[in-house]
Amino acid sequence: MVPVRLHPLTLLCAPLLLACGDGKPGGQAKSIAAAFENQSDPAESARKAGEDMRRLKEKVEAERSKAIEADIDRAATVPESLPADIKTACTEMRAAYDAFVDERLRGDVAESEKWAVMKGVDLDPAQEFCVAQNNLRFAACQTHAFREAAPGVARERAQELIDTCAKKTGAPTRAELKEAERAGKALKPS
């Protein structure tokens, strides 16, 4: 008999070759088929990922909105000292409102120029509403709110600052006044 010489790698690979099969005919084919059965539908995976992303965005937005509402509530407080008369108080509120918007437009030249020209559209009605309420606490609260609002409170939320002060001082909000007007009732200033 002639001695057979085996390559040293053959001895190392033999256990691996034996381990790959499970000894049953067709066993390897069954395990491959099972692996393909466990694969998910790519379209379904993409849909689920999109849904998860949407829920995450909604959660983050809700948390951000709550934080801004808390900032508005903190800023809308009545200071200890009140102005002497309602016209002075509402003039101070107007200046604070203007500064509030200017602060948020800093760096945006085009928007700043628009505000400089059109600010009366927002400020005049706010000042008239303030004076009409004849409520020093309401006017002082608005002034404080506009001065102390956190940078995250956007200029589009100015009405929320005003309405929060109205709620805290017993003045009607603009929405309440509009609703009363629609219903044919007149709300008295606070």
Side-chain angles (χ1 to χ4, degrees):
M1 190 170 189
V2 179
V4 177
R5 295 193 84 194
L6 295 175
H7 192 278
L9 285 177
T10 307
L11 294 174
L12 290 174
C13 293
L16 292 174
L17 289 173
L18 293 174
C20 288
D22 60 1
K24 298 178 190 170
Q28 188 174 14
K30 287 180 184 176
S31 65
I32 292 172
F36 279 107
E37 286 176 15
N38 290 333
Q39 281 188 340
S40 62
D41 177 22
E44 179 65 19
S45 294
R47 187 195 64 75
K48 276 185 159 185
E51 185 66 24
D52 290 345
M53 184 59 75
R54 183 190 60 76
R55 278 196 298 269
L56 179 62
K57 284 180 182 179
E58 285 175 357
K59 180 182 176 189
V60 168
E61 183 57 32
E63 289 172 359
R64 189 176 82 72
S65 184
K66 281 183 183 179
I68 290 172
E69 288 170 10
D71 287 341
I72 289 171
D73 191 61
R74 261 190 304 281
T77 58
V78 180
E80 289 184 25
S81 64
L82 300 176
D85 65 279
I86 195 65
K87 288 193 178 193
T88 301
C90 293
T91 300
E92 288 175 6
M93 179 280 304
R94 181 188 180 107
Y97 189 166
D98 189 19
F100 168 81
V101 175
D102 280 341
E103 175 83 17
R104 275 126 188 97
L105 297 179
R106 188 172 299 152
D108 188 340
V109 177
E111 284 298 314
S112 292
E113 288 173 356
K114 283 181 195 175
W115 176 249
V117 173
M118 300 298 296
K119 63 180 154 186
V121 172
D122 289 342
L123 297 179
D124 292 346
Q127 186 172 8
E128 289 168 12
F129 182 71
C130 177
V131 171
Q133 297 313 301
N134 196 26
N135 182 331
L136 287 174
R137 290 173 38 84
F138 176 53
C141 179
Q142 291 178 82
T143 301
H144 186 269
F146 286 124
R147 287 182 180 156
E148 301 301 321
V153 178
R155 87 181 248 207
E156 292 79 19
R157 304 211 55 174
Q159 189 60 51
E160 290 178 56
L161 288 165
I162 295 169
D163 288 344
T164 303
C165 283
K167 290 173 187 169
K168 288 185 174 186
T169 60
T173 64
R174 289 202 187 187
E176 291 170 341
L177 288 173
K178 284 181 184 178
E179 182 62 34
E181 184 180 304
R182 199 172 343 154
K185 298 177 185 176
L187 288 179
K188 295 179 183 177
S190 55

